[in-house]
Amino acid sequence: NAAAVTISNPNLLINPDFRINQRGESVYSEVGYTADRWKLQFPNSAASIEDGGYKLGLTSSAIDNSIASVMQTIEEPERFCGKMATLTVDYKTVASNRVYIEVAISDHSDALHVVAGKFITEGTGKYSVTGIIPVDVKTLFVRIYGADRRAGDDINAYSIINYAKLELSSVATPFVPPDPATELAKCQRYAMTLE
């Protein structure tokens, strides 16, 4: 654990600090891709790039189960079968009652399984979850909730995500901002409309 103070493991996420935004929009409110490699999951929510971070919030308080959530799918998940992984998210919440972070998979039966998840009600900070990636992984992804109507959040509730890090480790190691040119090259491997 002491070594984790100075050593940083590679980040398995692409565009972990949301700096690459080839689509060029400042606000995304449709289900689909937003900042490169990050996908807005549900309607009645929005993701925007502001204040040096990535803002997740609701656009409607009328729908009882609205969730402001983004996810990223990890390439070639079979590389990580049976390995320990830690997800760390650094964020600030405003008027949000609940934030949730998770590492999840679908297996060969297409069933969804949460490998590691955590509800967070504190306001600001870095929070981590750790779990073992199962051997029957078919799809591996991380998901971050910024506001949740089911917890009483309304359109004034949101979170600013500064970065996310998924690493092969039993502990969280420091986040190192990626080189912008390298991250852009990684993002350009994907068709902007298909990702």
Side-chain angles (χ1 to χ4, degrees):
N1 288 354
V5 174
T6 56
I7 297 172
S8 180
N9 290 318
N11 196 340
L12 303 178
L13 297 172
I14 297 174
N15 196 22
D17 54 3
F18 313 98
R19 303 281 181 185
I20 308 300
N21 182 26
Q22 293 183 84
R23 289 172 183 79
E25 301 296 327
S26 58
V27 178
Y28 296 92
S29 57
E30 307 252 339
V31 171
Y33 284 96
T34 62
D36 286 60
R37 300 300 297 137
W38 292 97
K39 186 174 185 179
L40 190 64
Q41 283 195 277
F42 302 111
N44 307 307
S45 63
S48 57
I49 298 158
E50 57 183 75
D51 296 335
Y54 190 67
K55 180 180 176 181
L56 289 175
L58 301 171
T59 57
S60 172
S61 298
I63 311 299
D64 286 340
N65 60 353
S66 296
I67 303 167
S69 169
V70 290
M71 67 176 288
Q72 184 175 139
T73 303
I74 309 304
E75 289 183 341
E76 301 175 13
E78 59 279 356
R79 297 176 293 160
F80 311 119
C81 291
K83 295 184 178 177
M84 184 80 69
T86 295
L87 171 67
T88 302
V89 178
D90 182 357
Y91 75 94
K92 169 178 73 176
T93 63
V94 176
S96 180
N97 295 311
R98 183 170 68 188
V99 174
Y100 182 66
I101 61 175
E102 74 176 10
V103 180
I105 68 159
S106 65
D107 60 22
H108 291 285
S109 68
D110 285 329
L112 174 68
H113 303 283
V114 175
V115 172
K118 184 174 191 174
F119 284 105
I120 300 162
T121 54
E122 298 88 351
T124 299
K126 294 179 214 165
Y127 295 92
S128 301
V129 292
T130 299
I132 296 175
I133 308 299
V135 295
D136 58 350
V137 61
K138 179 180 175 185
T139 304
L140 172 65
F141 59 90
V142 300
R143 186 160 42 187
I144 304 167
Y145 292 26
D148 191 336
R149 184 72 185 107
R150 299 169 301 177
D153 289 345
D154 61 22
I155 58 173
N156 297 311
Y158 64 88
S159 296
I160 300 283
I161 311 300
N162 296 314
Y163 68 78
K165 181 176 184 180
L166 179 66
E167 59 190 302
L168 296 181
S169 175
S170 61
V171 296
T173 64
F175 175 76
V176 176
D179 171 62
T182 303
E183 267 338 84
L184 177 60
K186 289 179 186 177
C187 293
Q188 287 173 334
R189 294 173 53 231
Y190 299 88
M192 287 179 56
T193 56
L194 300 178
E195 284 200 53

